[in-house]
C-alpha cells in the first residue's frame, strides 16, 4: 500500500487554524450509521469522526455535535433516534457524550447550557425537523445559537445544501473543515491532479446515468477505466451485443457510444467484461451460469461479472500506481453473485499503489471482507465522492470557503 501522492492543500480553512479553547463548537459530523435492534452495526463513520472530536476536547472545547440518521422525512421516528449512536460514540471516544431528546428545543438547550469543557452533547436527528433539508433560515438561526465556532467534518453530507451544512457556517464564524473533511478533499483532489501512473479507475453500480459525469471527468485523467456492475450492460449493448434480459438503459445507448469514442480519442483504455454470471430471474437463489457476454441466453440477465473478467481486471489492477474503485461488480448482497465484487476487492487490497475506495457499496464490501486496513483511503461519502469527482463544487465545501474569503 503506497503513501498518498503529493497534492495541493485543501482550499478551505483547516482545524488547526481554530483555537477551540473556551469555545462552544458546533460540529457537523456524519454519524449516519446502520442500526439493528437499537445497536450500531458498522462503526466506520463514528471512528472517522474521532480525530476531530479528540482535538477539540483536548483543547477544552464544549462540543455540540450534529448529524442526521436515515431519511425520517421531517418528523420524529423512534427507530432513527440518535441515542444508540451516542452510546456507541461514548464507548469509542472514552469521554462524556450526552444525547438530547430534541434538536433545538428545551431539552437540547438545557443540555447544551450544562455542557462543560471536554464534554459532548449530541443533538437529536437533524432530519426530524423539515427545516434541515430545506435550509430554513429560522432553523439555521436556532442551530447557530448553540455555538461560537463551527466545524464541518461531514464529508458524506457535503453535497447537501442543508441548514447544518450551509446555513450554520453562514451564521457562525470561524468555520473550518474537520480532519476527516480535509483528508477526504485532499485525497480526492489528488486523484484529479496528475496522480502517479498508471492511474486505473474501476466503476460499477446499477446505472450509467448515475455516473456519466464521473466517467466524463475521469476519461482525461485515467490510463484505464474498468467497467462492471449493471451499468456494463448498457455499454455492451451500445457495442452491439445482445444483452437478453439484462438491465439496459436504452436512453443512454448513444451516450455510451460517445463515451467509448471519447475514450478512444483520449487514448484511455475503457475495458468491459468478457463474461458474466447470468440468471433467469432477479433472486438470490436463482439458477445461474457463467457465459460469454455475447452468449447470454434468451430470458436470462447478467447479475455479476464472470471469473475471466475478474482475472483480467485483477491483472490490470496489479500494475496501478494510483487506483480508484467506486461501485460493486454485481449484486454482491447475494452469495451467488458476490464473487466479482469480492475478487475486485481482494485485488485492490493487494495493489501496492495508492488505492482509494469511493465510499458507498464498495466501502461496505471491503469492510465486510476485512480488507479496509489494506486500502490507502476508504471514503465515508459515496454520493459526495462521486459529485466531487465529477468536478462539482460541493455546497458544504463552498460554504467553508465563503467564510474564509
Amino acid at each position: 500500500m503506497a503513501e498518498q501522492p503529493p497534492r495541493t492543500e485543501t482550499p478551505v480553512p483547516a482545524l488547526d487554524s481554530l483555537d477551540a479553547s473556551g469555545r462552544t463548537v458546533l460540529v457537523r459530523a456524519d454519524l449516519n450509521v446502520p442500526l439493528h435492534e437499537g445497536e450500531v452495526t458498522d462503526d466506520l463513520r463514528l471512528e472517522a469522526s474521532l480525530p476531530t472530536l479528540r482535538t477539540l476536547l483536548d483543547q477544552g472545547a464544549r462540543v455540540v455535535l450534529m448529524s442526521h440518521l436515515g431519511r425520517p422525512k421531517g418528523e420524529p421516528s423512534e427507530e432513527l433516534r440518535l441515542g444508540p449512536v451516542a452510546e456507541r460514540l461514548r464507548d469509542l471516544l472514552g469521554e462524556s457524550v450526552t444525547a438530547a431528546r430534541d434538536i433545538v428545543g428545551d431539552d437540547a438547550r438545557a443540555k447544551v447550557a450544562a455542557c462543560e469543557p471536554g464534554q459532548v452533547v449530541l443533538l437529536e436527528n437533524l432530519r426530524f425537523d423539515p427545516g434541515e433539508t430545506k435550509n430554513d433560515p429560522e432553523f439555521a438561526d436556532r442551530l447557530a445559537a448553540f455555538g461560537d465556532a463551527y466545524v464541518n467534518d461531514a464529508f458524506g453530507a457535503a453535497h447537501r445544501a442543508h441548514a447544518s451544512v450551509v446555513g450554520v457556517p453562514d451564521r457562525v464564524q470561524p468555520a473550518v473543515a474537520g480532519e476527516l473533511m480535509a483528508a477526504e478533499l485532499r485525497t480526492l483532489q489528488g486523484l484529479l491532479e496528475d496522480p502517479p501512473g498508471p492511474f486505473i479507475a474501476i466503476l460499477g453500480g446499477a446505472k450509467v446515468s448515475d455516473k456519466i459525469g464521473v466517467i466524463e471527468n475521469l476519461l482525461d485523467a485515467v490510463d484505464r477505466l474498468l467497467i462492471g456492475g449493471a451499468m456494463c450492460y448498457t455499454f455492451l449493448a451500445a457495442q452491439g451485443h445482445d444483452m437478453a434480459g439484462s438491465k439496459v438503459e436504452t436512453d443512454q445507448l448513444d451516450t455510451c457510444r460517445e463515451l467509448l469514442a471519447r475514450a478512444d480519442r483520449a487514448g484511455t483504455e475503457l475495458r468491459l467484461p468478457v463474461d458474466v454470471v447470468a440468471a433467469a430471474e432477479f433472486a438470490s437463489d436463482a439458477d445461474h451460469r457463467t457465459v460469454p457476454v455475447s452468449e447470454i441466453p434468451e430470458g436470462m440477465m447478467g447479475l455479476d461479472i464472470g471469473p475471466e473478467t475478474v482475472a483480467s481486471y485483477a491483472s490490470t489492477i496489479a500494475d496501478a500506481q494510483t487506483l480508484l474503485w467506486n461501485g460493486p461488480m454485481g449484486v454482491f448482497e447475494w452469495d451467488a453473485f458476490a464473487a466479482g465484487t469480492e475478487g475486485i476487492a481482494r485485488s485492490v487490497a493487494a495493489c501496492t499503489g495508492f488505492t482509494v475506495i469511493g465510499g458507498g457499496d464498495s466501502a461496505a464490501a471491503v469492510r465486510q471482507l476485512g480488507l479496509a486496513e489494506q486500502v490507502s483511503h476508504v471514503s465515508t461519502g459515496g454520493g459526495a465522492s462521486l459529485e466531487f469527482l465529477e468536478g462539482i463544487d460541493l455546497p458544504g465545501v463552498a460554504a467553508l470557503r465563503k467564510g474564509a474569503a
Side-chain angles (χ1 to χ4, degrees), residues 145-403:
F146 282 136
D148 54 15
Y150 173 84
V151 175
N152 191 341
D153 212 27
F155 178 73
H159 60 316
R160 306 297 189 191
H162 293 173
S164 63
V165 176
V166 299
V168 175
D170 196 40
R171 292 159 170 79
V172 179
Q173 294 293 324
V176 306
E179 294 186 22
L180 169 63
M181 174 74 83
E184 294 273 17
L185 295 175
R186 287 196 306 269
T187 298
L188 295 176
Q189 187 63 39
L191 296 179
L192 302 176
E193 293 185 351
D194 196 26
F199 177 16
I200 295 168
I202 312 155
L203 294 180
K207 295 181 178 180
V208 174
S209 53
D210 289 342
K211 297 192 175 174
I212 290 172
V214 177
I215 295 172
E216 289 178 338
N217 215 36
L218 287 177
L219 279 179
D220 293 328
V222 303
D223 297 293
R224 300 181 188 93
L225 178 59
L226 314 181
I227 302 291
M231 62 187 286
C232 77
Y233 304 117
T234 304
F235 275 100
L236 289 165
Q239 288 185 326
H241 294 287
D242 181 359
M243 290 293 96
S246 304
K247 185 175 182 177
V248 173
E249 292 179 271
T250 55
D251 61 337
Q252 298 298 326
L253 290 172
D254 287 342
T255 299
C256 286
R257 293 185 187 102
E258 173 54 32
L259 289 171
L260 288 163
R262 181 174 166 182
D264 188 58
R265 293 194 298 270
T268 299
E269 185 181 352
L270 195 158
R271 300 262 296 279
L272 296 169
V274 294
D275 62 342
V276 299
V277 180
E281 58 182 328
F282 189 78
S284 61
D285 59 351
D287 290 336
H288 55 278
R289 69 181 85 163
T290 299
V291 296
V293 295
S294 58
E295 299 177 18
I296 301 175
E298 184 177 354
M300 298 189 78
M301 65 188 78
L303 294 179
D304 193 15
I305 60 174
E308 188 176 340
T309 301
V310 172
S312 174
Y313 283 10
S315 177
T316 300
I317 289 167
D319 294 334
Q321 290 300 305
T322 306
L323 186 142
L324 166 69
W325 176 29
N326 181 281
M329 297 292 100
V331 189
F332 79 105
E333 300 90 347
W334 295 339
D335 290 345
F337 311 107
T341 298
E342 179 173 346
I344 295 302
R346 295 194 181 283
S347 299
V348 171
C351 178
T352 58
F354 183 75
T355 51
V356 177
I357 305 295
D361 288 336
S362 306
V366 296
R367 294 272 293 179
Q368 290 172 15
L369 293 166
L371 301 173
E373 296 302 319
Q374 298 175 49
V375 176
S376 305
H377 180 82
V378 180
S379 178
T380 57
S385 296
L386 286 175
E387 291 196 16
F388 189 94
L389 292 169
E390 283 186 48
I392 295 172
D393 193 13
L394 306 182
V397 178
L400 298 176
R401 192 183 302 113
K402 176 183 175 183

Side-chain angles (χ1 to χ4, degrees), residues 26-270:
L26 280 160
V27 178
R28 178 49 162 106
D30 182 8
L31 310 181
N32 185 27
V33 295
L35 296 177
H36 180 67
E37 296 182 352
E39 293 191 2
V40 175
T41 58
D42 188 336
D43 290 338
L44 172 64
R45 286 173 171 162
L46 302 187
E47 291 170 349
S49 72
L50 298 180
T52 290
L53 296 178
R54 286 183 175 133
T55 295
L56 294 170
L57 296 175
D58 287 348
Q59 291 185 26
R62 302 172 184 85
V63 173
V64 179
L65 194 56
M66 306 179 290
S67 180
H68 74 282
L69 178 64
R71 300 177 182 273
K73 299 182 179 179
E75 59 184 35
S77 166
E78 291 304 313
E79 295 78 20
L80 295 175
R81 288 196 177 274
L82 283 169
V85 176
E87 292 180 13
R88 183 60 186 148
L89 188 60
R90 186 184 305 122
D91 293 340
L92 294 171
L93 190 59
E95 302 287 351
S96 172
V97 179
T98 302
R101 288 286 296 176
D102 53 29
I103 310 168
V104 291
D106 292 343
D107 191 61
R109 288 196 297 271
K111 285 184 167 65
V112 171
C115 186
E116 298 288 340
Q119 295 181 345
V120 179
V121 173
L122 174 60
L123 302 181
E124 187 52 278
N125 190 336
L126 291 166
R127 291 187 183 173
F128 285 0
D129 191 305
E132 165 66 359
T133 57
K134 294 177 181 178
N135 189 21
D136 177 69
E138 182 180 350
F139 183 65
D141 285 342
R142 297 178 74 183
L143 286 174
F146 282 136
D148 54 15
Y150 173 84
V151 175
N152 191 341
D153 212 27
F155 178 73
H159 60 316
R160 306 297 189 191
H162 293 173
S164 63
V165 176
V166 299
V168 175
D170 196 40
R171 292 159 170 79
V172 179
Q173 294 293 324
V176 306
E179 294 186 22
L180 169 63
M181 174 74 83
E184 294 273 17
L185 295 175
R186 287 196 306 269
T187 298
L188 295 176
Q189 187 63 39
L191 296 179
L192 302 176
E193 293 185 351
D194 196 26
F199 177 16
I200 295 168
I202 312 155
L203 294 180
K207 295 181 178 180
V208 174
S209 53
D210 289 342
K211 297 192 175 174
I212 290 172
V214 177
I215 295 172
E216 289 178 338
N217 215 36
L218 287 177
L219 279 179
D220 293 328
V222 303
D223 297 293
R224 300 181 188 93
L225 178 59
L226 314 181
I227 302 291
M231 62 187 286
C232 77
Y233 304 117
T234 304
F235 275 100
L236 289 165
Q239 288 185 326
H241 294 287
D242 181 359
M243 290 293 96
S246 304
K247 185 175 182 177
V248 173
E249 292 179 271
T250 55
D251 61 337
Q252 298 298 326
L253 290 172
D254 287 342
T255 299
C256 286
R257 293 185 187 102
E258 173 54 32
L259 289 171
L260 288 163
R262 181 174 166 182
D264 188 58
R265 293 194 298 270
T268 299
E269 185 181 352
L270 195 158

